[in-house]
Amino acid sequence: MSALENRQPVKERLFQTGTILFAEKGFDGVSVREICKHAGTSMNMIHHYFGNKEGLFDAIVASFTEKVFAFPLRLLEKEVQTKDEFVTLVELFFEETLTALIDQRHILQVITRHEVEASAMSELIQNFVKFLKITQEKGFVQAGIEPELMSGFIMDRLATQVLYAPQIAKYSNYDLIGDPDYRARWTRSNLNLFLYGLVSQ
């Protein structure tokens, strides 16, 4: 463990170590002893801060909910009056959600691996569907688009790409996480597809 990591608060080291180990090995594949060893602290500390391994796991899941979805949810509360405002908000929603998922990708792996029901994910999708329905009524979204399907399509595209980014980078030159230029191109191409379709007008 580096000197910088040693200067991190114990609770933060436990949280980060637990997240990585749960993502790699699963909840049942990791012991309290292993978490504390990698975090460079005693076993008493996990009990002090989180109660037990389950408490640490729950804290990790709750943290993902807060960090990833708080800002996108606030975006969906905005009322748009023009098509340009709609496009700008969707672009911002997409980019901010992607950035948050990348920043918290280890927690995303934990949640996906353990099939944890994330209530905030459901809330985000429901609010996105509501937002699309409202903007569809205003004429900003094509009448033939089903908001429920489009919302699921976009959220699945974001989460899946982040989850498999390391494997994609390993076998290609496309590194969504480490290459900001590629990330920008990937984002623009997907937004163009979502907003304007595949067939030229």
Side-chain angles (χ1 to χ4, degrees), residues 68-80 85-97 120-135 138 141 147 151-152 154-155 158:
V68 173
F69 299 124
F71 184 63
L73 278 167
R74 287 199 299 272
L75 282 174
L76 296 177
E77 295 173 358
K78 296 181 180 294
E79 185 175 346
V80 296
E85 288 180 1
F86 168 75
V87 169
T88 298
L89 192 145
V90 170
E91 290 176 341
L92 186 58
F93 173 84
F94 189 92
E95 291 171 5
E96 290 296 328
T97 302
M121 175 74 89
S122 298
E123 182 183 1
L124 183 67
I125 293 173
Q126 290 171 3
N127 284 14
F128 194 24
V129 169
K130 180 180 178 182
F131 170 80
L132 290 175
K133 286 181 176 179
I134 291 172
T135 51
K138 292 183 176 182
V141 177
S151 174
I154 291 175
M155 293 303 300
L158 288 167

Side-chain angles (χ1 to χ4, degrees), residues 10 14 32-33 36-37 41-52:
V10 172
L14 287 167
V32 171
R33 182 183 300 277
C36 293
K37 178 182 177 181
T41 188
S42 69
M43 290 179 61
N44 291 333
M45 290 297 99
I46 200 166
H47 298 294
H48 173 71
Y49 287 111
F50 301 101
N52 50 32

Side-chain angles (χ1 to χ4, degrees), residues 10 17 50 60 62 74 76 79 84 106 143-144 162 176 186 191:
V10 172
T17 301
F50 301 101
I60 289 169
R74 287 199 299 272
L76 296 177
E79 185 175 346
D84 286 343
H106 295 300
V162 172
L176 185 73
W186 184 89
L191 280 169

